[in-house]
Amino acid sequence: MSALESGAPDDESALEIVHARFPEVFCYRVPPLKTSTGHRAEDWGLGNPQLTGRADLVAKGSTLEVRVFKDEGGAPAATCPVRCGPGSPPVDAVVDAVVDSSRYFVLRVENAQGRHAYLGIGFRERDAAYDFKAAICDFRRSQDRAATAATLRAEAEEAEASGAAPPEVDMSLKGSITISLGGDDAAA
């Protein structure tokens, strides 16, 4: 059985799918939280971004990676993995919208050793920020649907293997119901 048929590809053989590309993102150093209400973009020094680059949303198996690049070529400057599935942190813990703007987000970026830091990103236009958020939500919903489909498939295969017939559905009309077909042309 191949990795595509099993529904759980390993990291090396997983196909990478680019869900969205953003040609301009602004990256900021995120200070520690002052209150429990959430991060505020106004605390970042929005006039002086640490980096102006681009971002790609790339799906690889059940993980969506937000990759931030300094320039057109080369390796990503930062990668934020958004994992879906059992035992994964909620999406809001990895990609969090700030409380004072719809164009800025806080990413929980990780390096190869698993260490993490927080990076603020922002978009010039609200449309790009909305597309960013929508692409992440769409990916999460597609992973939820795939998990539900796998569960239903396993239940159907189990029922088929046990030889149990599917339950019969009674579609007969109950009581005194009258259905008239055709029509009375005089009423028109």
Side-chain angles (χ1 to χ4, degrees):
M1 180 181 277
S2 72
L4 289 176
E5 292 171 354
S6 69
D10 57 354
D11 287 342
E12 289 79 30
S13 67
L15 183 66
E16 289 190 357
I17 300 171
V18 177
H19 280 261
R21 288 198 170 189
F22 302 96
E24 183 181 48
V25 294
F26 304 105
C27 300
Y28 302 92
R29 186 180 317 261
V30 176
L33 275 175
K34 294 179 184 176
T35 64
S36 63
T37 58
H39 292 279
R40 299 183 68 81
E42 68 182 15
D43 298 336
W44 299 351
L46 298 178
N48 298 317
Q50 300 291 319
L51 167 73
T52 300
R54 67 177 177 91
D56 293 347
L57 270 60
V58 180
K60 188 173 182 182
S62 63
T63 302
L64 180 72
E65 292 182 349
V66 180
R67 298 177 182 170
V68 179
F69 295 89
K70 290 182 182 179
D71 52 23
E72 284 301 316
T79 301
C80 172
V82 180
R83 295 177 183 91
C84 296
S88 299
V91 174
D92 290 343
V94 182
V95 178
D96 191 19
V98 298
V99 296
D100 60 342
S101 177
S102 62
R103 296 184 300 138
Y104 296 92
F105 299 89
V106 177
L107 304 179
R108 182 179 187 262
V109 297
E110 291 183 7
N111 65 6
Q113 291 79 28
R115 295 188 58 177
H116 68 272
Y118 293 96
L119 175 71
I121 66 165
F123 299 91
R124 186 178 302 277
E125 300 293 329
R126 280 194 181 89
D127 292 342
Y130 176 80
D131 292 344
F132 176 79
K133 188 174 181 178
I136 292 172
C137 290
D138 288 346
F139 178 78
R140 184 183 47 81
R141 280 195 302 268
S142 72
Q143 292 299 306
D144 291 347
R145 283 192 305 270
T148 302
T151 302
L152 292 174
R153 185 180 316 110
E155 290 173 359
E157 288 173 355
E158 183 179 310
E160 184 179 313
S162 68
E168 258 187 55
V169 178
D170 183 15
M171 299 179 79
S172 63
L173 297 175
K174 308 289 187 238
S176 59
I177 298 174
T178 304
I179 298 177
S180 61
L181 300 176
D184 187 5
D185 290 338

